[in-house]
Amino acid sequence: AENLDENDKVSIVTYAGEDTVVLSGTSGSEQYTINEALSSMTAEGCTNGGDAIITAYELAEKNFINGGNNRVILATDGDLNVGLTSESDLVDLITEEKKENNIFLSVLGFGTDNLKDNKLESLADNGDGNSAFIDSAYEAKKVLAFEVTKLVHGEEEAQKAADADG
């Protein structure tokens, strides 16, 4: 959140048995609100990632920034086990319905158990995004602070943020 500014918009969709919109088009300058939303999230239940992806793309379309980096970031262990679950169905959803709108999909795989990395990499590749696998606090900070800043603000700003964090 600290790497965002008033030119950024953040939406957060959580998903278990159903998807829930936690934030919708919140300004990046509202760091307290974003951090509160992130702090309130917990993992629970089954994983209906397909519906969450659909909702996230709808929010991205609604909050589209012309000339911006419009991106859905899926954070998951990859065990999408409710709704659309097959790799081919999820890829079809992304390639046929969504990426044509210049909204890209990046995927962050969390954990070491039950991680479906082939599915996650395929989703990112077909969503014209990138993927990263996060198995430690160090890797999370590296990916989220550096890589996301690079996606949003470019390599130079990402390096400044990385250097400032030591």
Side-chain angles (χ1 to χ4, degrees):
E2 291 76 22
N3 295 324
L4 302 173
D5 63 30
E6 67 277 354
N7 297 316
D8 301 313
K9 290 183 183 180
V10 175
S11 297
I12 298 176
V13 178
T14 60
Y15 54 100
E18 62 184 37
D19 57 307
T20 303
V21 176
V22 177
L23 293 178
S24 178
T26 301
S27 172
S29 64
E30 295 183 43
Q31 293 176 6
Y32 178 81
T33 302
I34 295 167
N35 281 323
E36 284 294 304
L38 291 170
S39 296
S40 71
M41 293 190 297
T42 58
E44 60 185 58
C46 50
T47 310
N48 191 347
D51 282 354
I53 291 169
I54 292 168
T55 301
Y57 271 104
E58 289 170 354
L59 288 169
E61 290 167 2
K62 178 181 173 187
N63 294 289
F64 191 86
I65 298 172
N66 286 323
N69 186 333
N70 296 281
R71 181 171 306 272
V72 169
I73 300 174
L74 175 65
T76 181
D77 67 358
D79 190 22
L80 309 178
N81 55 21
V82 176
L84 292 176
T85 59
S86 77
E87 184 176 330
S88 63
D89 286 345
L90 291 163
V91 166
D92 287 347
L93 169 68
I94 294 161
T95 56
E96 291 176 11
E97 298 181 27
K98 301 301 177 188
K99 80 174 185 180
E100 296 171 4
N101 296 336
N102 291 317
I103 298 170
F104 307 105
L105 175 68
S106 291
V107 181
L108 304 178
F110 282 83
T112 55
D113 295 333
N114 213 22
L115 190 63
K116 310 289 189 216
D117 52 342
N118 60 326
K119 184 184 291 186
L120 301 184
E121 287 177 12
S122 178
L123 291 174
D125 289 345
N126 285 284
D128 285 343
N130 44 10
S131 61
F133 299 95
I134 299 174
D135 60 0
S136 67
Y138 171 78
E139 189 67 18
K141 182 173 180 155
K142 175 185 158 201
V143 169
L144 294 171
F146 180 78
E147 297 295 336
V148 173
T149 302
K150 182 171 82 174
L151 285 171
V152 175
H153 298 290
E155 181 91 33
E156 187 176 321
E157 287 299 315
Q159 194 57 54
K160 285 180 189 175
D163 292 344
D165 289 338

